[in-house]
Every structure is written in structure tokens, then in C-alpha cells.
């Protein structure tokens, strides 16, 4: 083993050890029956490592500072009550709120929920019926925060930045842009994974070092687990890791075999086929569903996503109804396909 | 460069044309439509005529938004009138999101202080949206274009401990077509209405209280002689709709339509004829 290789291994092993240490030290210390009061910033999902079902009203928005009271029971907070809500003062969360309410007051459902999901990864905006449909057709990854959002933001920013800046500075601009996007869309596991992976890959490419995508993937996963060890049991985290791994393994091979498919659909089809190979068994085991047509449905809708993202983001930032309306034909098509295949 | 720009212009124009076509297909016709939205166990009834919409109650969840999206063109974000018949959650929960997302012209509701979370949240939302609020008063008549609404109940000074008894009841008139919307009124109010001098035969009735036996009465049915009876009901543990009510309607020769069996119940009228579609 060369000197360089053993050094890399050392880094990986110490990372893994750190994660194990963090996992056990970050475990919640609450016992069953404990009556607790937690003050936290609401970011969706678990609160202090506990699953919580909050009452429907008063409604809590992302980023709000809340005080919750409840009783601990097997990792859950039962009889949760909201004692206090302070609206967020954080400018990023406020901006996110501004965009969502603009979408909701300009477009009807499910279109408003779709734009919110595609641009910001907001899941809660969709009505329950449409969310079921989106899940059953296997396109949920498009409307929740996923690596795809970051990939699109990065490539869009890169395209804009290289028009004005030299490549080296453009990359810095893109990384800053992605960090801002993370702030606005919330630090969801898949977004962070993609952001870290993307940043590592981008910088590595620029510095001329050969870092395989595999190493970047494993490295980003380990760093994230260091940040939050609980993610190792988070189904979203596992899914995005497996999906990216299967992309790396199968995408190219599948694409080579699709020589007869028109360019238009090829990328959507090959990426979703590849991702499905790893993801489908996990989905089937955990949620009990699996749609054999999913890669085709994905290919039918994925081409609309960049347009929805661009018109949604620009329309939202400028608060322009006309620009947002430009996304309407794409949204209509997206919901038409999903509805068609789920009935 | 010129080719480049030309390509973008063509793409942009294609997009605009696609949008215009989608819009054309959503243009409303000239008839009045009444849609009892399938929102599960609850009420949400949408009345549409041209660009005028009247929503009566919003059901127990956000499902009402799907119903609004389906029947209102995507660019029309104004609902001219929202009637909140009474504060119960299965009628008013969905209205919170409606008020949040749409421009509501007028909000007609009882001036009640009920401490439920839903009613408080709705009141807060209506207040912060700055919507014009109307309370039912004796002989209140509303007119929106060619649509007339006569409010029959509750009268000023009405007091009760039961929220259902406050249900706003109105008759809708469009040309020769008449329909009555009854919220969750119980037998006592039904009988009171049956001797109301302003009440006559109707074409359409929204059966009170999801077909509960403590709702419609023989007396009221005899006066109204409806041709279409709509029950807005979903899965529930109360036994709605009750057998007695179904039997009563069967004997009356009214055509019964239920949201739990049919989904959205839609009828249209040109002011003379009406049809189910």
C-alpha cells in the first residue's frame, strides 16, 4: 500500500470512528414518561430527535421558533402541544415564505404545490390526494428536496456565471449560490448531500485533482453523518445515497443501450432507470409500493422540471404573475401525466 | 447568434400559444353551475356563473382546493362570496386555506365567538386578509350579477347553545331556477322554515346535516318539493345519511345524489332547464 493510499484510509477510518462516537453521544437522553418542554426552530421532521405530531392549528411554518410540550414515549413526543410560536426573523426563511405564499396566491392547486416543491423542495404544499399520486407514480423525488434541485441550480448558475466570469471565479459564484439555496430551501439531507458532493467534485475538477465521484459520495455521506448521526436511519438519506450510487453504477451503461430513444427523453429515462434499480427494492420493502412504469413516467415529466424551476424562481423573486404563468403549461402537463398514470 | 435568438423566440412563442390554448379550454360557459365538492364528511358547495364564484363552506380539509382548481380558471383568483354557514370543523376548516390563497370579496358568517382552534384560526385569517365581513340580518338579500341569494336563517337576535342551529340558510335564484342550501340545521329549524312565508317550491336542495335524521323534516320537504336532493357526506361514524331520510326522499320522488357515491355532484342550469352532468 502506498503512502498516499494509507493516508486516505486513515481519514476514512477516523471519520467512521467519529461518527460512531457522535451517534451515541447525540442519542436523546429522554426516558419514557418524561414530560418535557422543548424550545426549537421548526424545520419539519423530528424535534430534538423525537417524532412529533403537532396539532393542525395553530399552523407552524418552516423556520418558526416554537415551544412544544409533550410526553416522551418510545422516541415519540405524544400529546404534543404548541405553547408558543414566534414568527421567524431569519431573512432566508422569510424569503422562502414569501415565495410560497406568492405561488399559492397566484396558481391553484396542485400547480402551486408543484412549483413550491420543484423550486424549494416544499412537500407540505401539496394536497394529500395529489401527494399520493406523486408517490404512486414514482416522481416524488422531483417535488421534494432532492439532489436534482441542487444539480439544476448548479448547472443554471454555472451557465449564467460563465457568461460574465472566468471559470475559476464562476465556480466560487456557483458554490456561494448553492449555499444560499440551501439556506432558503432548508437544510434537507438530500440537498446537503448533493451540495457537498457537487462542491467537492467542482473544486476537485478545477484544482486538477482526480477525485472519483465514488469517493466524493462516500466522503460527503460520512461528513453529513458527522453533522447529524441520526440520518443513518433516515429513509430519505438512505434513498438519496443509494440512488446516487446506482446512478454512478448503471446510468452510462443504460444510456448506451438506448440508442433508438430520442435525445429529448433519453437522459430522463436513463437516469430514472438507473436510480430505480437501487431505490425500488427499498421503496417496496419500506412503503410497500413500486410502480413498474415509473421510469417512463419520469421520462415524460422530467423535461419540464428545468423550465418550471427557472420560471418559478424568477417569477417568485420578481413577484411577477406573468413570468410565473409561463410555467403553467409545463405544470399542467406534469399534473396531467401524473393523474393519467395514477388512475 | 441570430439563429440562437430566433430559436429562443420560437420556443417562447410556442409556450405562449400553449398557455393561451390551455386558457381557452378553461373559459366558463354561460350557464350557472352548482358543484357539491366531494370533500369527504363535510360540506363545500361551489356555485359558478361566468367569472362569479360563490363558495358555501370549505369542508374538513384542504380537499376543497382541488375542487376550486378544477372548476375555476387558473387565472381567476377571486371568489366573490364565501358563505361560512356555521363554525363546525367539517364546514369551516377548508375555508382557512381558501381565504389565505384566494381574494375573497365578501365573507358571510355568523358573528359567533366559538373557542375551537379552527374557528379562531379562520377568524384570524379573515381579519388579516382584510376581507369584508357580513353577518346575516333579517331579510338580507344579496345580488351577484344575475344570481340572487335570499338569506332565510338565522334571524337577528337568534340565540342557541348549538352551533348547528346557527347554520345560515339561503335560497339561490337564477332565472326560474331555485335552490336551497341548508347547512347543518336540525329538525327544529327545519320545521320553523317550513312555515316561513318566503319559502316555496325549489328545484334543488342541499339536504341538511349530511342526511342526519336530526335534520330534514317531512314538513319542510312537503313545502319545498325539490326535484334534486344532494347529500354531501363521506365516511363517518354517525350513520349519515340515515335510512329515514333516504326513505323520505324516495317517497318524495326527488332525485337523490350523494357525494360519497358520485364524487363531485354537478348540475348546470340556463335559468329555465337544468341538467346533471
Amino acid at each position: 500500500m502506498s503512502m498516499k493510499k494509507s493516508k486516505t484510509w486513515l481519514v476514512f477510518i477516523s471519520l467512521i470512528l467519529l461518527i460512531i462516537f457522535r451517534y451515541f453521544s447525540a442519542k436523546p437522553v429522554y426516558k419514557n414518561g418524561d414530560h418535557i418542554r422543548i424550545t426549537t426552530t421548526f424545520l419539519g421532521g423530528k424535534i430534538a430527535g423525537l417524532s412529533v405530531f403537532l396539532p393542525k392549528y395553530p399552523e407552524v411554518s418552516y423556520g418558526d421558533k416554537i415551544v412544544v410540550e409533550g410526553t416522551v414515549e418510545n422516541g415519540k413526543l405524544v400529546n404534543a402541544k404548541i405553547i408558543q410560536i414566534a414568527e421567524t426573523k431569519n431573512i432566508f426563511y422569510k424569503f422562502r415564505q414569501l415565495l410560497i405564499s406568492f405561488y399559492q396566491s397566484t396558481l391553484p392547486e396542485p400547480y402551486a404545490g408543484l412549483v413550491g416543491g420543484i423550486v424549494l423542495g416544499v412537500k407540505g404544499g401539496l394536497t394529500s390526494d395529489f401527494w399520493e399520486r406523486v408517490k404512486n407514480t414514482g416522481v416524488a423525488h422531483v417535488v421534494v428536496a432532492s439532489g436534482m434541485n441542487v444539480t439544476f441550480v448548479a448547472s443554471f448558475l454555472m451557465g449564467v456565471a460563465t457568461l460574465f466570469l472566468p471559470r475559476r471565479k464562476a465556480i466560487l459564484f456557483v458554490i456561494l449560490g448553492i449555499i444560499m439555496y440551501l439556506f432558503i430551501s432548508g437544510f434537507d439531507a438530500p440537498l446537503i448531500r448533493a451540495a457537498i458532493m457537487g462542491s467537492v467534485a467542482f473544486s476537485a475538477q478545477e484544482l486538477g485533482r482526480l477525485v472519483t465521484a465514488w469517493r466524493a459520495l462516500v466522503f460527503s455521506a460520512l461528513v453529513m453523518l458527522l453533522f447529524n448521526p441520526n440520518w443513518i436511519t433516515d429513509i430519505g438519506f438512505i434513498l438519496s445515497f443509494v440512488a446516487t450510487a446506482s446512478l454512478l453504477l448503471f446510468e452510462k451503461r443504460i444510456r448506451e443501450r438506448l440508442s433508438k430513444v430520442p435525445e429529448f427523453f433519453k437522459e430522463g429515462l436513463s437516469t430514472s432507470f438507473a436510480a430505480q434499480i437501487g431505490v425500488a427494492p427499498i421503496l417496496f420493502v419500506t412503503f410497500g409500493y413500486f410502480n413498474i412504469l415509473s421510469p417512463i413516467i419520469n421520462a415524460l415529466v422530467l423535461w419540464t422540471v428545468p423550465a418550471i424551476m427557472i420560471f418559478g424562481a424568477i417569477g417568485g423573486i420578481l413577484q411577477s404573475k406573468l413570468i410565473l404563468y409561463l410555467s403553467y403549461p409545463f405544470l399542467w402537463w406534469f399534473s396531467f401525466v401524473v393523474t393519467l398514470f395514477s388512475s | 447568434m441570430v439563429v440562437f435568438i430566433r430559436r429562443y423566440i420560437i420556443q417562447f412563442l410556442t409556450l405562449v400559444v400553449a398557455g393561451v390554448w390551455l386558457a381557452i379550454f378553461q373559459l366558463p360557459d354561460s350557464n350557472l353551475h352548482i358543484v357539491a365538492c366531494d370533500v369527504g364528511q363535510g360540506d363545500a358547495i361551489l356555485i359558478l356563473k361566468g367569472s362569479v364564484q360563490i363558495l358555501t363552506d370549505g369542508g374538513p380539509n384542504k380537499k376543497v382546493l382541488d375542487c376550486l382548481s378544477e372548476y375555476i380558471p387558473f387565472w381567476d383568483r377571486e371568489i366573490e362570496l364565501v358563505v361560512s354557514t356555521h363554525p363546525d370543523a367539517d364546514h369551516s376548516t377548508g375555508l382557512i386555506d381558501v381565504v389565505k390563497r384566494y381574494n375573497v370579496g365578501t365573507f358571510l358568517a355568523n358573528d359567533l365567538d366559538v373557542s375551537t382552534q379552527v374557528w379562531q384560526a379562520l377568524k384570524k385569517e379573515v381579519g388579516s386578509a382584510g376581507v369584508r365581513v357580513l353577518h346575516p340580518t333579517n331579510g338580507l338579500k344579496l345580488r351577484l350579477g344575475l344570481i340572487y341569494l335570499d338569506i332565510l336563517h338565522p334571524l337577528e337576535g337568534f340565540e342557541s347553545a348549538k352551533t348547528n342551529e346557527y347554520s345560515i340558510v339561503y335560497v339561490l335564484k337564477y332565472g326560474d331556477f331555485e335552490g336551497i342550501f341548508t347547512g347543518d340545521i336540525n329538525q327544529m329549524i327545519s320545521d320553523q322554515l317550513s312555515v316561513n312565508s318566503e319559502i316555496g317550491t325549489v328545484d334543488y336542495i342541499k339536504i341538511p346535516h349530511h342526511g342526519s335524521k336530526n335534520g330534514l323534516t317531512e314538513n319542510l320537504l312537503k313545502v319545498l318539493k325539490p326535484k334534486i336532493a344532494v347529500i354531501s357526506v363521506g365516511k363517518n361514524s354517525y350513520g349519515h345519511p340515515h335510512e329515514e331520510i333516504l326513505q323520505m326522499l324516495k317517497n318524495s320522488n326527488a332525485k337523490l345524489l350523494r357525494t360519497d357515491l358520485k364524487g363531485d355532484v354537478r348540475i348546470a342550469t340556463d335559468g329555465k332547464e337544468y341538467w346533471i352532468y
Side-chain angles (χ1 to χ4, degrees), chain A residues 11-89:
Chain A
V11 171
F12 272 91
I13 289 168
S14 24
L15 266 177
I16 290 167
L17 285 174
L18 262 172
I19 288 161
I20 295 169
F21 172 73
R22 280 274 292 141
Y23 183 74
F24 286 102
S25 61
K27 275 220 150 214
V29 288
Y30 313 118
K31 290 193 298 286
N32 280 351
D34 279 1
H35 192 74
I36 56 169
R37 172 182 280 208
I38 308 168
T39 306
T40 181
T41 305
F42 180 72
L43 300 174
K46 291 185 175 184
I47 293 177
L50 299 163
S51 325
V52 184
F53 287 98
L54 292 174
K56 231 158 115 196
Y57 297 98
E59 217 165 20
V60 180
S61 329
Y62 187 91
D64 284 351
K65 216 169 178 163
I66 54 170
V67 180
V68 188
E69 229 177 46
T71 315
V72 179
E73 204 183 284
N74 302 323
K76 276 181 275 183
L77 191 68
V78 294
N79 299 325
K81 255 195 299 195
I82 299 170
I83 307 294
Q84 203 187 329
I85 307 178
E87 237 177 75
T88 179
K89 290 203 177 67

Side-chain angles (χ1 to χ4, degrees), chain A residues 19 23-24 26-28 46 49-51 75 189 221 224-226 228-241 282 286-287:
Chain A
I19 288 161
Y23 183 74
F24 286 102
K27 275 220 150 214
K46 291 185 175 184
L50 299 163
S51 325
M224 273 184 288
L225 288 175
L226 202 59
N228 184 350
N230 289 319
W231 279 346
I232 199 147
T233 54
D234 179 315
I235 188 75
F237 180 83
I238 297 169
L239 282 176
S240 59
F241 184 81
I282 302 180
T286 40
F287 301 115

Side-chain angles (χ1 to χ4, degrees), chain B residues 100-111:
Chain B
K100 209 180 271 181
R101 292 161 180 245
Y102 287 82
N103 295 322
V104 173
T106 303
F107 192 85
L108 175 66
N110 285 294
D111 188 13

Side-chain angles (χ1 to χ4, degrees), chain B residues 220-238:
Chain B
L220 183 60
L221 198 59
K222 259 187 232 154
V223 180
L224 294 172
K225 298 192 180 63
K227 296 178 189 99
I228 299 174
V230 176
I231 298 182
S232 184
V233 66
K235 248 194 199 152
N236 67 84
S237 53
Y238 314 109

